[in-house]
Amino acid sequence: MEKFSTHTGIGTPLRVSNVDTDQIIPAVYLKRVSRTGFEDGLFASWRADPSFILNVEPFDRGSVLVAGSDFGTGSSREHAVWALMDYGFRVVISSRFGEIFKGNSSKAGLLAATVEHSDVELLWKKIESRPGMELTVDLGAKTITAEDLVVRFEVDDYTRWRLMEGLDDIGLTLRHADDIDAYETTRPSHKPTTV
Amino acid sequence: MGRTLAEKVWDQHVVRHGEGQEPDLLYIDLHLVHEVTSPQAFDGLRMAGRPVRRPDLTVATEDHNVPTIDIDKPIADETSATQVSTLRRNVEEFGVRLYPMGDLNQGIVHMIGPELGLTQPGTTVVCGDSHTSTHGAFGALAFGIGTSEVEHVLATQTLPLRPFKTMAIEIDGALRPGVTSKDVILAVIAQIGTGGGAGYVLEYRGEAVRAMSMEARMTMCNMSIEAGGRAGMIAPDETTFDYLHDRPHAPQGAEWETALDAWRQLRTDDDAEFDTVVHIDASTLTPFVTWGTNPGQGVPLGDEVPDPEQIADEDKAASARKALAYMDLTPGTKLRDIAVDTVFLGSCTNARIEDLRAAADVMRGNHVADSVRMLVVPGSMKVKAQAEQEGLDAVFTEAGAEWRSAGCSMCLGMNPDQLEPGQRCASTSNRNFEGRQGKGGRTHLVSPLVAAATAVRGTLSSPEDLTPSVLTIA
């Protein structure tokens, strides 16, 4: 995973709440067996509308998505994270995220930054006042800067550390293989097996 | 202080307590795999040269992409066929057991775990599918994961997990005839919202829950994710043990007794404290249906489509306006006046034998309205066989419904069973998101009883609306 410390890019306002992962990428786009190439599916239904924000210059070149509350609810499809990243987003900002989406983001290297909803409103106003405005997201300081506006965001410290170090979760866990071996000797014999 | 059920199961699975900000590492007892969220995970293993650590705790099936008719023929859609053949290649290479299309044990991944007796009280269960919460009905800690986590579990049989909060959903009183656990969970979601459970494991408790069958409990736990919950759980009891007894993978002989002793400890201690408690009075509930595009946008069937202008919260009002535009509904319309052209009885929420029996009781001697197409899709081949043995298939086909083979079917637009743009469906599935059942399709989430009555009348209805009135005990 690529290390993440700070990121600067165009802010794209998505003034919609309850954006479920079926909207981020409809099921019909999940049939790929590779890990890349999902950008076509990103918001596929909404992109059919010419006025949708990703069809509007310069927001179509955004890399920081500022969304309404409850972003990424519903299906566990990590493809939603891949589609956002394949399109070019590195950060999504919302006041609340779907739990599985947030977990998936942290694994794939997309920063899901949680801010107060009032701050989402401020960011929307700011980036709409001057389309193309770049936001700077500083993971170390946990701040988002849009010109003179500075907003704090929340991300759990473990996720922050992993993103900043670009660490692979499986590699981290396998350092504790002895603990897993030890645990397995204690499992009750009535636990099921699939064979 | 006492512990909640969820905390007990968590504690039993800690491989290693995290230091500082590091999360605890939890052992996973059962990993369910399907064709959509696993190919990139197996690829990851291959690239890193890692094996599946415990193929004996892993099981796979084909469900999301599979057609539900002509299942003896090759899958026509090329990309769906590739996804299924990729899974078959992967399980072969990594030594994982698969129940493929056509197998007597094939079905939706959340159907087959319980049916095979693999889902057991006090286990940790994961799957690359958000409706893994279904398995919590057995007192398992069960939750959906993404593909990176699928790879993690395949490689290590563990997951680093952030702690959760606990929420008690106390469902007191008894449900009235004709009111099901589907109505209860839709009412819960409408009350706490689609994000209300975020960060929580929900435990369903109370008199109404104790009285529910395993099937009804699974329906409720299944939709915990629709309330934003990490998982949903119900303490195991005699109903649970009776369901599991003699299932193929349930403990046998002396092991069964040992297991029972352990399972009986799996209940929230009297002095345990939940972070949040929500109360629902079951005796006041009536059939519940959704009018909008998220599962929290629901009302009792007897109500009208709400007016966004009457919603105080501006965010919710905006969401309602957008939903009504998509659903092509006008505020003030009686729900019972809404005509549908499709009825879908299926999905991991409501395609168990009890759901089919309840719907068949309503359909018996009735006919699907001329304007309606009804699909009946058993959740598993086991349920299909059982239903056919009981003659339920004949009830449905004689009523003019389509009787199909097992799969996710019209719950999500990934296989041939899809709505056309603009079509309106009463669906026993779990999500009414825009386009969920096919691009441009409109979904009303309902119980199997409401689905059946709606199929007969052509408008959203409950069995009470039929002449002569049909009222089945849920």
Side-chain angles (χ1 to χ4, degrees):
Chain A
M1 193 162 71
E2 207 178 314
K3 285 186 187 180
F4 189 119
S5 54
T6 64
H7 172 77
T8 299
I10 292 175
T12 301
L14 182 66
R15 283 184 174 268
V16 189
S17 58
N18 267 303
V19 178
D20 57 76
T21 54
D22 273 81
Q23 304 317 314
I24 300 173
I25 183 165
V28 68
Y29 292 92
L30 307 183
K31 296 184 184 183
R32 226 177 264 277
V33 294
S34 65
R35 196 153 180 159
T36 53
F38 291 96
E39 62 274 17
D40 291 351
L42 182 68
F43 298 118
S45 300
W46 294 349
R47 265 160 91 185
D49 171 4
S51 67
F52 180 61
I53 198 76
L54 288 190
N55 293 326
V56 178
E57 277 270 333
F59 296 122
D60 59 337
R61 288 180 282 118
S63 60
V64 180
L65 188 68
V66 186
S69 61
D70 292 311
F71 186 86
T73 56
S75 157
S76 66
R77 56 190 71 167
E78 194 164 321
H79 312 67
V81 173
W82 302 337
L84 285 161
M85 295 188 78
D86 288 349
Y87 183 89
F89 287 106
R90 290 304 313 277
V91 182
V92 182
I93 297 166
S94 174
S95 60
R96 190 160 60 184
F97 291 95
E99 296 268 313
I100 305 176
F101 177 86
K102 192 159 68 177
N104 288 342
S105 297
S106 81
K107 310 291 175 187
L110 178 74
L111 173 60
T114 308
V115 303
E116 293 292 327
H117 189 69
S118 54
D119 286 336
V120 170
E121 296 276 358
L122 289 177
L123 286 166
W124 278 341
K125 281 189 191 129
K126 198 83 188 163
I127 55 188
E128 282 166 356
S129 73
R130 193 167 68 73
M133 179 187 298
E134 291 196 329
L135 308 186
T136 295
V137 181
D138 184 334
L139 184 54
K142 295 201 275 190
T143 57
I144 301 155
T145 306
E147 293 183 333
D148 56 338
L149 174 70
V150 182
V151 165
R152 285 194 62 80
F153 67 88
E154 284 305 317
V155 57
D156 72 86
D157 288 345
Y158 179 69
T159 297
R160 183 169 70 144
W161 171 69
R162 279 188 43 255
L163 287 172
M164 293 187 73
E165 299 294 326
L167 290 171
D168 160 26
D169 240 9
I170 298 177
L172 285 174
T173 296
L174 287 175
R175 293 194 307 197
H176 306 301
D178 289 351
D179 293 325
I180 303 173
D181 290 341
Y183 180 88
E184 284 180 332
T185 64
T186 68
R187 293 181 75 233
S189 58
H190 64 76
K191 293 268 184 177
T193 64
T194 58
V195 292
Chain B
M1 199 177 69
R3 292 175 300 161
T4 63
L5 167 62
E7 288 159 348
K8 286 183 183 181
V9 179
W10 176 286
D11 289 347
Q12 287 174 2
H13 290 84
V14 175
V15 168
R16 183 176 179 277
H17 287 285
E19 290 159 18
Q21 285 301 318
E22 228 184 329
D24 287 351
L25 190 63
L26 255 68
Y27 199 80
I28 303 302
D29 290 318
L30 178 64
H31 187 187
L32 305 162
V33 172
H34 64 85
E35 78 276 11
V36 181
T37 55
S38 67
Q40 296 86 355
F42 282 112
D43 255 357
L45 291 184
R46 209 174 278 120
M47 283 190 293
R50 289 170 177 149
V52 172
R53 181 181 174 97
R54 294 294 299 266
D56 61 327
L57 303 184
T58 312
V59 69
T61 192
E62 300 161 0
D63 56 5
H64 286 61
N65 278 276
V66 303
T68 55
I69 47 170
D70 298 332
I71 62 166
D72 51 332
K73 301 198 179 87
I75 298 177
D77 181 285
E78 213 171 288
T79 48
S80 286
T82 303
Q83 212 157 47
V84 168
S85 63
T86 303
L87 177 69
R88 290 179 187 179
R89 223 175 27 249
N90 285 333
V91 296
E92 175 78 28
E93 179 181 340
F94 288 92
V96 171
R97 183 160 186 179
L98 170 73
Y99 295 103
M101 208 165 80
D103 190 283
L104 287 175
N105 284 308
Q106 179 265 347
I108 306 174
V109 70
H110 309 307
M111 298 283 301
I112 72 166
E115 278 174 0
L116 291 166
L118 285 167
T119 304
Q120 295 179 14
T123 54
T124 45
V125 181
V126 299
C127 173
D129 189 282
S130 59
H131 291 112
T132 309
S133 56
T134 310
H135 307 266
F138 292 80
L141 181 60
F143 47 89
I145 56 178
T147 299
S148 293
E149 290 171 313
V150 170
E151 183 181 340
H152 196 117
V153 176
L154 289 172
T156 71
Q157 205 58 34
T158 64
L159 271 182
L161 288 171
R162 288 194 307 272
F164 52 79
K165 291 179 284 182
T166 55
M167 184 186 290
I169 313 268
E170 301 278 357
I171 308 169
D172 300 316
L175 288 173
R176 292 191 223 167
V179 184
T180 70
S181 69
K182 179 65 162 285
D183 303 303
V184 178
I185 188 65
L186 286 173
V188 168
I189 300 164
Q191 182 169 329
I192 71 174
T194 55
Y200 290 92
V201 171
L202 317 182
E203 184 184 329
Y204 304 97
R205 302 155 57 83
E207 182 193 340
V209 178
R210 297 268 69 89
M212 284 178 191
S213 66
M214 285 316 294
E215 284 85 351
R217 293 178 189 183
M218 283 190 257
T219 298
M220 213 157 56
C221 286
N222 172 275
M223 289 190 70
S224 303
I225 181 71
E226 266 60 68
R230 192 79 179 99
M233 295 179 91
I234 294 172
D237 57 12
E238 295 306 318
T239 305
T240 321
F241 309 145
D242 288 348
Y243 177 98
L244 278 170
H245 194 61
D246 282 339
R247 300 250 165 200
H249 292 268
Q252 310 290 330
E255 289 279 33
W256 174 256
E257 298 303 325
T258 315
L260 276 185
D261 287 343
W263 295 346
R264 290 209 163 98
Q265 311 302 315
L266 295 169
R267 47 182 292 278
T268 293
D269 294 327
D270 292 338
D271 59 340
E273 276 182 28
F274 290 92
D275 295 301
T276 305
V277 180
V278 172
H279 286 276
I280 301 274
D281 181 357
S283 65
T284 62
L285 293 177
T286 56
F288 218 84
V289 299
T290 63
W291 51 267
T293 54
N294 74 57
Q297 292 174 324
V299 290
L301 175 63
D303 281 14
E304 297 170 350
V305 175
D307 183 354
E309 306 319 314
Q310 304 297 316
I311 299 174
D313 180 308
E314 184 39 45
D315 199 39
K316 281 191 178 143
S319 186
R321 273 190 288 271
K322 189 168 183 296
L324 290 186
Y326 181 85
M327 294 294 288
D328 191 26
L329 290 174
T330 314
T333 305
K334 287 190 170 61
L335 268 298
R336 278 194 162 89
D337 288 343
I338 296 174
V340 305
D341 38 49
T342 310
V343 171
F344 172 56
L345 176 58
S347 88
C348 59
T349 309
N350 275 131
R352 299 184 182 83
I353 190 68
E354 185 184 284
D355 300 315
L356 301 192
R357 284 178 191 147
D361 283 345
V362 176
M363 305 294 293
R364 201 171 275 116
N366 280 307
H367 203 274
V368 175
D370 290 344
S371 54
V372 173
R373 173 192 186 205
M374 183 184 193
L375 273 74
V376 183
V377 187
S380 70
M381 293 307 273
K382 272 266 174 60
V383 167
K384 186 181 190 198
Q386 173 79 27
E388 289 176 353
Q389 200 186 330
E390 296 178 17
L392 304 185
D393 57 324
V395 175
F396 289 118
T397 52
E398 281 164 21
E402 298 174 26
W403 177 249
R404 291 171 166 252
S405 291
C408 296
S409 185
M410 203 182 263
C411 177
L412 87 171
M414 247 193 125
N415 54 69
D417 306 343
Q418 299 198 23
L419 293 180
E420 297 291 321
Q423 280 189 328
R424 187 181 298 280
C425 181
S427 177
T428 64
S429 57
N430 41 58
R431 287 185 176 141
N432 51 345
F433 298 153
E434 289 181 25
R436 170 78 179 183
Q437 296 192 283
K439 197 175 175 182
R442 299 173 177 133
T443 305
H444 296 275
L445 299 177
V446 301
S447 74
L449 291 173
V450 170
T454 300
V456 173
R457 281 170 49 91
T459 51
L460 292 176
S461 305
S462 74
E464 286 175 307
D465 300 323
L466 298 182
T467 327
S469 171
V470 182
L471 198 58
T472 44
I473 306 299

